[in-house]
Amino acid sequence: MKEVAKRAGVAMSSVSRVLSGHPDVSEPMRQRVMTAVDELGYQPDLLAQGLRSRTTYSVGFVVANIANPVLAGAIRGAERRLRAAGYSLLLTDSEGSPVLDAAQIELLQRRRVDGLLLSLSDEQDTQTAAAIRALDEPIVLMDRDLPPGISAPRALFDHRKGMRQAARHLLELGHRDVALIIGGPFRPAHERRAGLEATLRRGGARCAVFEGEFSVKHGYATTVEILNRVPRPTAIVAGGNMLMHGALRALVEADVQLGQDISFVGCDDTAVAEFHRPAIAVVHRDVEAIGEAGAELLLDALDERRDRKMKDVTLPTKFIDRPSCAPPPRRSRRAKNRSGGDPALSR
Amino acid sequence: MKEVAKRAGVAMSSVSRVLSGHPDVSEPMRQRVMTAVDELGYQPDLLAQGLRSRTTYSVGFVVANIANPVLAGAIRGAERRLRAAGYSLLLTDSEGSPVLDAAQIELLQRRRVDGLLLSLSDEQDTQTAAAIRALDEPIVLMDRDLPPGISAPRALFDHRKGMRQAARHLLELGHRDVALIIGGPFRPAHERRAGLEATLRRGGARCAVFEGEFSVKHGYATTVEILNRVPRPTAIVAGGNMLMHGALRALVEADVQLGQDISFVGCDDTAVAEFHRPAIAVVHRDVEAIGEAGAELLLDALDERRDRKMKDVTLPTKFIDRPSCAPPPRRSRRAKNRSGGDPALSR
């Protein structure tokens, strides 16, 4: 590297910045260094460098499911923030499997990342918790509860808030029999359920909960089941974008008119919701923001390892009303004629 | 590692399989080895191992844009195949930037991956080509043309086939003025354009081509422009799923009825197309299959480095007719009364 700096006529630190892919490097500087690298046939070796300095300027992101479009947003936000600080991001996909979560954490550790962002497939899995406890590197949990025996900062969404708003809206429209489709052994599922269920019950409504995996398949199969129930719930809430995808597929196939035959609330303004008619009411959140917030927490931890703060950052969610929600069919006249809210709500 | 094997009472190869996250390891075996690892406080260090053996059993995948849902499918297919062969996959996201492509290739090289899958943001970029030439590791290009001075095996789609079928269908319906929205300095764009343009022109139709970046934004802005043209093209073809997303957004906003006011062909059966009414005609392809095919080519190269074959694998694409395509408005009566094909087609 000294030779490269000498040949290029630049400082060692400039060579280091170019070779680490630092964003604040001018194009002429980059070309000057790379020309010298080429001429000398120099092979910068991060593994050997890492063995010496114990720092590789890279961060691992264990992604529960790369096919979840919401996670693409979080990755984008995290990568942007980390890159600005000179770090590269290495991603892995666990396909929703806790066995893979544990294996990916071990892989990234052996690849000598400086820290990890964890969007776990199952926050209660004991193998995953063991893999995390074996880490010396700082971690940040991405919208997950702490696995047993772990303490770490977290970037979170306030899922209860948006779900409470959705529940209040359904109660105001007159719904008293609601089905919630929920999935995944992780925090967003628990929180969404807690927010919706408590508010509905306090308002005097039934809330039938259908738990399963966090997948399009579970959303689809459960919706088929709900539509065949007697009496049929007057509203369906899908607690996650992939569950919403499956639920909407089943509703379209059954030719059920949302807002007329049944009301529907989904999660996240993904492409799935965009082209559905009528428009889909959703609990909205800023997914890039959680990526940035998680990266920021990790950068804090990397800066001051000895004095790590265990602070959490919580971002809001918000219910957006759209025509997929309307008064339930049999009660629509009564609900429309009411001037105020539902008396059950003021309890 | 010898001590771990001894303590666990298993073979060294079993320890190696457990630590590399190999899928064919029984849960009791895994726990036995991990218990011994914990008890001995053994820290397997892939970096140090890599320095010795020059093999890390990991593959890098440079992904042009992690937000493109089609790439999620390719990643899934590649990871599944690689994992079955004992390899882990490390992903990077270039956000469509060739500068990042080059930086990510260098990063993965310094992380000592054994090989790379490349879905480049710009296959003609000179910095990217320089980064690839500096690699000793085998690479496979994922649906990309070879950058200048590079030879490598490729996993490809036959985009021309599906686009030729789409063009023939539009000609048969009577369309003579078609707009093509295309984006990205990479192979799928060139190939889709070549297939559609040649067939339409041979059939006596105009084909106005709107080139730009491969993004939802370009699809949206261009569609707004096309709708304001006088005379207005009678059909729009969006050459990629993200361009389709933007185009459909503009068409919905303008309240244009597909199949009545204008015909529309998109690419890929993504969530965007699923809930649009009428259903969207698309050029379909199996995106997981290209991930598997690319991984297979790379595994070949890793097995027999000295005798690397430069073979390509090409997978088909297929036009699927749906109601978003219909005869053009003014000519619909004539087109419907025709019993055979368009005479222009038999030329």
Side-chain angles (χ1 to χ4, degrees), chain A residues 14-35:
Chain A
S14 302
V15 177
S16 170
R17 281 157 69 92
V18 169
L19 295 181
S20 67
H22 197 284
D24 295 337
V25 170
S26 69
E27 199 41 44
M29 170 64 83
R30 190 186 149 79
Q31 284 184 6
R32 210 158 147 182
V33 170
M34 291 315 289
T35 303

Side-chain angles (χ1 to χ4, degrees), chain B residues 35-327:
Chain B
T35 304
V37 163
D38 284 347
E39 286 167 3
L40 293 167
Y42 172 64
Q43 283 257 1
D45 190 323
L46 219 70
L47 295 218
Q49 274 176 32
L51 283 177
R52 284 194 300 273
S53 72
R54 316 298 298 182
T55 299
T56 57
Y57 288 103
S58 62
V59 163
F61 194 157
V62 175
V63 177
N65 183 352
I66 207 91
N68 180 347
V70 159
L71 283 170
I75 291 165
R76 185 68 35 115
E79 182 150 55
R80 198 166 293 151
R81 182 65 195 90
L82 289 167
R83 193 183 307 123
Y87 285 83
S88 301
L89 191 63
L90 292 169
L91 309 171
T92 61
D93 177 19
S94 301
E95 295 195 29
S97 152
V99 176
L100 285 178
D101 272 353
Q104 308 286 29
I105 290 167
E106 286 161 14
L107 172 79
L108 289 165
Q109 180 183 24
R110 282 178 282 134
R111 301 255 118 220
R112 285 275 180 81
V113 293
D114 292 335
L116 289 104
L117 299 173
L118 302 176
S119 139
L120 302 173
S121 302
D122 179 352
E123 60 207 6
Q124 295 302 312
D125 184 71
T126 54
Q127 292 293 331
T128 303
I132 295 175
R133 276 194 301 269
L135 293 170
D136 281 328
E137 294 75 16
I139 62 165
V140 170
L141 285 159
M142 303 298 286
D143 209 14
R144 292 294 182 270
D145 279 329
L146 292 167
I150 311 287
S151 63
R154 299 181 300 163
L156 307 170
F157 278 116
D158 181 359
H159 296 285
R160 294 193 193 211
K161 188 181 171 192
M163 277 294 169
R164 273 192 221 112
Q165 292 169 347
R168 277 195 292 268
H169 183 68
L170 290 173
L171 287 169
E172 277 164 24
L173 289 170
H175 293 276
R176 292 296 174 271
D177 188 1
V178 177
L180 169 65
I181 308 171
I182 209 81
F186 40 57
R187 184 179 183 277
H190 317 148
E191 293 293 304
R192 283 168 175 151
R193 176 180 182 161
L196 192 84
E197 221 177 2
T199 308
L200 283 176
R201 294 212 168 134
R202 240 188 348 263
R206 267 189 84 227
C207 179
V209 179
F210 297 80
E211 277 200 272
E213 61 178 14
F214 189 73
S215 69
V216 174
K217 199 175 150 195
H218 172 55
Y220 178 85
T222 306
T223 303
V224 170
E225 190 189 330
I226 292 168
L227 291 176
N228 288 325
R229 285 213 151 188
V230 182
R232 191 160 91 175
T234 60
I236 297 177
V237 178
N241 79 84
M242 299 180 78
L243 300 170
M244 167 170 75
H245 190 161
L248 288 176
R249 188 177 284 170
L251 290 163
V252 166
E253 274 183 26
D255 203 21
V256 173
Q257 295 305 306
L258 301 190
Q260 290 174 30
D261 305 329
I262 202 162
S263 286
F264 184 84
V265 175
C267 280
D268 298 318
D269 271 316
T270 52
V272 166
E274 181 169 351
F275 296 107
H276 197 285
R277 291 293 169 274
I280 304 294
V282 293
V283 173
H284 177 81
R285 52 181 174 152
D286 182 347
V287 290
E288 291 205 9
I290 202 173
E292 288 168 20
E296 198 63 53
L297 286 172
L298 193 61
L299 290 169
D300 281 353
L302 289 167
D303 259 0
E304 28 177 34
R305 286 204 190 188
R306 271 158 222 151
D307 183 28
R308 246 189 263 173
K309 287 172 226 147
M310 291 305 150
K311 66 183 170 190
D312 293 343
V313 170
T314 305
L315 303 169
T317 66
K318 184 174 79 178
F319 174 68
I320 301 175
D321 183 26
R322 297 204 185 105
S324 67
C325 285

Side-chain angles (χ1 to χ4, degrees), chain A residues 267-286:
Chain A
C267 281
D268 299 316
D269 270 317
T270 52
V272 166
E274 180 170 351
F275 296 107
H276 197 284
R277 289 295 168 273
I280 304 295
V282 293
V283 174
H284 178 80
R285 53 181 173 152
D286 183 348

